Amino acid sequence: MLNHPNADQNPTPPAGSPVLVSGASFAGLATAYWLNRLGYRVTVVELAPELRRGGTPVDIEGETITILERMGMFEAVRAKTLPPRAFECKDAQDHTLGGFGVETGPDAAPPTRFEIHRDDLLDILFAGIDGSVELRFGRSIKRLEDSPDSVMVTLDDGSQHAFALVFGCDGNRSNTRKLVFGDEKNFTYFMGGYVYLKVVPETGLLPPNVSQVYSVPGLTTMLNGYDDRTDIAFAFRTASEIDYDYRDRAQQRAMIHDRFDGLGWKVPAALNLMGTDEDFYFDWITQIRMPTWSKGRIALVGDAAYCVSPVAGMGGSMAIIGAGRLAEALGRHGDDHAAAFQEYHDKLHAFVDDVQKRAANEGMAMIFPASEAEISERDRKLRDGGLEI
Ligand SMILES: Cc1cc2nc3c(=O)[nH]c(=O)nc-3n(C[C@H](O)[C@H](O)[C@H](O)COP(=O)(O)OP(=O)(O)OC[C@H]3O[C@@H](n4cnc5c(N)ncnc54)[C@H](O)[C@@H]3O)c2cc1C
């Protein structure tokens, strides 16, 4: 259970020490919230010109709920919660092979898991820091010089500033991690595939509040239906990494067409909805696995330190849990950042390891089955109720 960090608990309160957070998504906004509440003077730099919106909904359950309650944000989250969604695995003729419905009625158990649109959660977290911390959009860290007393930070506008602590919350391809720990290849675990995600206005392809999945070996198409929008996801397996230009969006679309053109079910309609714009998410399916999440006065939070991959369905939760656990450790250890960073890692890494292992094994087999045998096994488990998603 997360202790509430406060001045009584803090042996040597930071009393306005300046700290820097790189990245303003779930990890960065939550970390900035807690640091501000602990009494630090917080600056956030975000590379994008504004909050980066878009993406599929975020699951909120377990410890994430407890932490959002302590942040005073859970009621706002609950107010934006999406209706529960049924799940159906389909064949090429749209027959349902397995899945589960949604329990409703007076006897239904109260929900313990909530889903919220990514943008709504971003807005709620942003409201928690707006006006209380300095936000600098369109900025990035260029250089970090860690010393026993402070970190000298050079930003990409050439300005230099000294901070007591620096937090890298800048995602899977973290700039802070690169500057402090070096080549991302050393920490990136490739899970054997790529994913494309796009959110479009409601398509009529499926009823609201249903997810449908169609898989052939190595290729999965998934549609999530809501009242007002549809998520379209394509995922494909590859034995090794593909060399492509991450800025070339047309090339990424072509990679999807190359693999999915000619498939049955609703795939042709979903491919048509890709359009020609640049508003989609495409990335390799990877995890970040590091032996430690801090060096000197610099610590990493969220995907930057322990990306669990989209397959885990827990990226947003892990970022919020990570920020909450870090705050708890800082609240307990005051100015002893080394002890706080050590505790943050020691108490969280077993949970992270477990989530990552489950995503790499059961998660991949469930969402991106590689063979007919894996597809049949998944559908059988879903029919028998032996698989949780
Ligand atoms: C636009 C967007 C859409 C997404 N959609 C999905 C999705 O559909 N499904 C899914 O599973 N996951 C998605 N993700 C990833 C998901 O948000 C994360 O897995 C999870 O929320 C962990 O959050 P994070 O804050 O650690 O990392 P992220 O959410 O990746 O945030 C990192 C932040 O750091 C910023 N940043 C990057 N480089 C720098 C830099 N050099 N300097 C300063 N700031 C920098 C980024 O702009 C971003 O705001 C998406 C992420 C983004 C940014």
Side-chain angles (χ1 to χ4, degrees):
M1 174 118 133
L2 183 85
N3 291 323
H4 179 159
N6 59 32
D8 299 340
Q9 213 183 334
N10 188 342
T12 42
S17 301
V19 294
L20 179 67
V21 174
S22 172
S25 179
F26 299 140
L29 296 173
T31 300
Y33 168 88
W34 284 114
L35 292 169
N36 179 53
R37 190 155 142 182
L38 284 165
Y40 293 96
R41 187 153 49 86
V42 185
T43 301
V44 179
V45 286
E46 162 60 52
L47 182 64
E50 56 191 341
L51 290 184
R52 288 194 58 204
R53 297 185 174 279
T56 53
V58 182
D59 275 344
I60 305 287
E61 61 183 319
E63 186 175 345
T64 318
I65 296 178
T66 316
I67 293 176
L68 287 167
E69 280 171 347
R70 292 190 182 279
M71 296 169 86
M73 295 178 185
F74 184 61
E75 282 316 309
V77 168
R78 194 196 270 276
K80 292 280 186 181
T81 294
L82 294 165
R85 241 170 327 122
F87 186 87
E88 299 166 350
C89 288
K90 296 289 194 175
D91 69 8
Q93 285 72 42
D94 201 35
H95 300 127
T96 301
L97 303 170
F100 51 80
V102 173
E103 280 183 45
T104 52
D107 296 335
T112 54
R113 178 174 168 180
F114 303 87
E115 215 184 16
I116 179 170
H117 282 307
R118 189 175 175 278
D119 289 357
D120 288 336
L121 184 56
L122 219 48
D123 286 338
I124 292 167
L125 289 168
F126 184 72
I129 59 156
D130 194 18
S132 318
V133 315
E134 186 189 348
L135 269 153
R136 301 184 66 183
F137 285 103
R139 277 283 150 266
S140 176
I141 301 171
K142 199 170 159 200
R143 198 156 168 224
L144 289 165
E145 289 162 89
D146 195 11
S147 72
D149 301 325
S150 65
V151 188
M152 184 56 73
V153 178
T154 308
L155 296 179
D156 58 358
D157 61 358
S159 62
Q160 289 199 315
H161 314 263
F163 289 97
L165 303 170
V166 172
F167 298 91
C169 305
D170 34 18
N172 185 315
R173 294 176 187 268
S174 170
N175 176 47
T176 311
R177 190 184 62 231
K178 259 178 239 155
L179 291 171
V180 177
F181 293 92
D183 193 344
E184 67 182 11
K185 286 214 165 78
N186 297 331
F187 310 108
T188 302
Y189 170 73
F190 178 61
M191 294 169 77
Y194 289 77
V195 65
Y196 166 102
L197 293 162
K198 185 175 180 70
V199 184
V200 297
E202 206 269 323
T203 56
L205 280 177
L206 72 176
N209 309 318
V210 176
S211 288
Q212 295 182 341
V213 173
Y214 170 62
S215 298
V216 296
L219 302 173
T220 285
T221 304
M222 181 165 179
L223 300 172
N224 297 326
Y226 311 95
D227 289 335
D228 60 346
R229 63 192 87 177
T230 306
D231 298 337
I232 297 168
F234 297 105
F236 59 87
R237 294 234 189 196
T238 58
S240 54
E241 292 162 38
I242 297 173
D243 192 18
Y244 74 97
D245 179 354
Y246 70 92
R247 286 159 303 200
D248 186 344
R249 305 298 263 169
Q251 185 191 17
Q252 292 157 30
R253 269 195 302 272
M255 285 159 69
I256 298 298
H257 277 288
D258 284 351
R259 290 164 175 83
F260 288 83
D261 279 354
L263 290 189
W265 190 58
K266 300 172 184 178
V267 176
L271 287 167
N272 271 339
L273 289 161
M274 289 170 72
T276 52
D277 62 62
E278 305 220 326
D279 183 19
F280 62 88
Y281 174 88
F282 179 86
D283 213 344
W284 56 1
I285 303 167
T286 56
Q287 296 179 333
I288 297 298
R289 299 181 178 181
M290 301 183 75
T292 173
W293 304 330
S294 65
K295 201 183 240 180
R297 294 178 165 271
I298 302 157
L300 305 174
V301 187
D303 276 8
Y306 35 78
C307 177
V308 289
S309 85
V311 177
M314 277 195 68
S317 283
M318 287 305 299
I320 291 169
I321 292 171
R325 295 284 195 99
L326 175 67
E328 186 182 11
L330 283 165
R332 201 178 347 264
H333 292 284
D335 274 352
D336 187 353
H337 65 274
F341 291 170
Q342 189 65 48
E343 180 181 309
Y344 160 58
H345 180 266
D346 289 351
K347 290 195 170 175
L348 189 58
H349 83 88
F351 179 56
V352 167
D353 291 351
D354 184 49
V355 172
Q356 289 190 330
K357 266 191 208 116
R358 273 191 286 126
N361 300 322
E362 293 95 311
M364 285 297 282
M366 161 69 212
I367 299 182
F368 309 135
S371 60
E372 288 292 358
E374 276 189 3
I375 294 173
S376 304
E377 178 64 3
R378 175 194 67 186
D379 297 342
R380 187 193 62 73
K381 282 184 179 166
L382 278 165
R383 274 195 302 277
D384 297 350
L387 194 58
E388 263 193 43
I389 296 173

